[in-house]
Amino acid sequence: MAQNVTTQQQPPPPPQTVSPNLAATKFIAGLFWSTTSGLHRRCAATIVANNVLLTSASCALDKYPNVAHGPGQWVVVTAGDSRFTQKLAAGTQSMAVKSVDIDQCANLATITLTTPLAPSEAIKPILMSNAQVPLTAMLNTYNTSNPFGSPFLALTQGNQQQCEAIKPQYSQDKLICTQPIQGQFITSDYLGGDPIIGFSVQGSTPVAVLVGITGQFYSNLVNAQTGGINDPAAYRFSGLVGSRIAQIASTAGVEPATLTSSNPLG
């Protein structure tokens, strides 16, 4: 006789939740391409003033999202875990973007909002550093394209000879060169746009400041720079914010000193 065999159903996997460290940040927003089908996340955008955010130039070019998702416009999402979600429903609360100023040499883009952000416990701009960045400076970034697990990553600068062999005169373009990190997967993070955080020395308490915005990887592998394949040995060249503080302050309509930390980086 045939026997009845019962199979035990496995419970569904728990939903992924955004890392608490990332969810707690008050200065990271999401840059989205808004269309009739919804909001499509492109990159992070870092809040440096109530009406100004920064991302990479690669993120702010509208050619790709226009082809991939159809005609639309840039918007910014600042609230909760939604800023890290890849697609949001049409009509999700967002902030309209007035203009995007792209500097491709420095790989930085300045985003100006139509309406300034209202003061909030959940939203707080981060000070930008205009100090020199020594090779010994402690630098970190958030990988917001993979917001689960441990997205807080330590960065190590490459020495000048190594970096100039890959991208000559990078320092004249106000870029910072960082070495490959362990477990580097550039296929999901090739656009950059995430904040590079340093720590300014103010008495006995280090204060987190914005040093730069992650930029493009440079690789000898043809398809790596556009995210087609991974290159765990690729170096990264990211935009430094210090050279643009005066312009950003002018856009924000405030004095540069109100947006800046001049303290040395530790």
Side-chain angles (χ1 to χ4, degrees):
M1 293 181 59
Q3 293 182 338
N4 291 329
V5 178
T6 59
T7 57
Q8 186 176 3
Q9 289 188 339
Q10 296 295 319
Q16 288 184 304
T17 56
V18 171
S19 161
N21 289 337
L22 189 54
T25 58
K26 300 180 179 182
F27 54 84
I28 299 179
L31 177 65
F32 287 76
W33 185 250
S34 177
T35 70
T36 55
S37 65
L39 276 60
H40 307 270
R41 189 180 189 275
R42 186 65 168 157
C43 292
T46 300
I47 303 168
V48 294
N50 289 338
N51 61 338
V52 178
L53 303 90
L54 299 178
T55 191
S56 71
S58 309
C59 289
L61 297 171
D62 59 13
K63 180 179 178 179
Y64 173 83
N66 192 65
V67 171
H69 307 298
Q73 55 274 327
W74 293 119
V75 297
V76 168
V77 175
T78 60
D81 291 355
S82 296
R83 48 198 168 136
F84 308 113
T85 303
Q86 289 303 307
K87 184 176 180 181
L88 300 171
T92 299
Q93 185 175 2
S94 61
M95 304 292 294
V97 170
K98 178 181 179 182
S99 63
V100 179
D101 177 30
I102 296 175
D103 183 344
Q104 288 190 291
C105 287
N107 201 15
L108 288 173
T110 304
I111 301 165
T112 307
L113 299 177
T114 302
T115 304
L117 296 165
S120 165
E121 286 297 319
I123 300 171
K124 184 179 180 181
I126 185 172
L127 290 175
M128 295 177 286
S129 174
N130 65 358
Q132 292 291 322
V133 187
L135 283 173
T136 55
M138 183 184 299
L139 301 176
N140 296 272
T141 190
Y142 294 89
N143 181 6
T144 65
S145 62
N146 182 18
F148 315 108
S150 301
F152 198 54
L153 306 173
L155 300 176
T156 301
Q157 293 184 66
N159 69 51
Q160 188 171 0
Q161 281 188 323
Q162 287 175 315
C163 296
E164 286 189 344
I166 302 167
K167 186 173 173 59
Q169 309 301 316
Y170 74 95
S171 59
Q172 293 185 14
D173 290 334
K174 308 301 182 185
L175 300 174
I176 185 171
C177 168
T178 53
Q179 297 179 21
I181 61 173
Q182 186 174 5
Q184 176 168 284
F185 287 98
I186 68 178
T187 50
S188 61
D189 187 27
Y190 68 97
L191 290 170
D194 294 322
I196 297 175
I197 306 300
F199 296 91
S200 68
V201 181
Q202 298 182 13
S204 59
T205 305
V207 175
V209 292
L210 183 68
V211 173
I213 300 292
T214 59
Q216 292 181 305
F217 292 96
Y218 279 74
S219 168
N220 292 325
L221 304 179
V222 175
N223 294 327
Q225 284 183 221
T226 55
I229 58 174
N230 186 44
D231 181 0
Y235 275 59
R236 190 167 216 173
F237 292 82
S238 303
L240 290 167
V241 301
S243 63
R244 293 181 62 93
I245 289 175
Q247 179 184 349
I248 293 166
S250 176
T251 300
V254 298
E255 290 296 320
T258 64
L259 306 179
T260 308
S261 167
S262 299
N263 292 302
L265 297 172

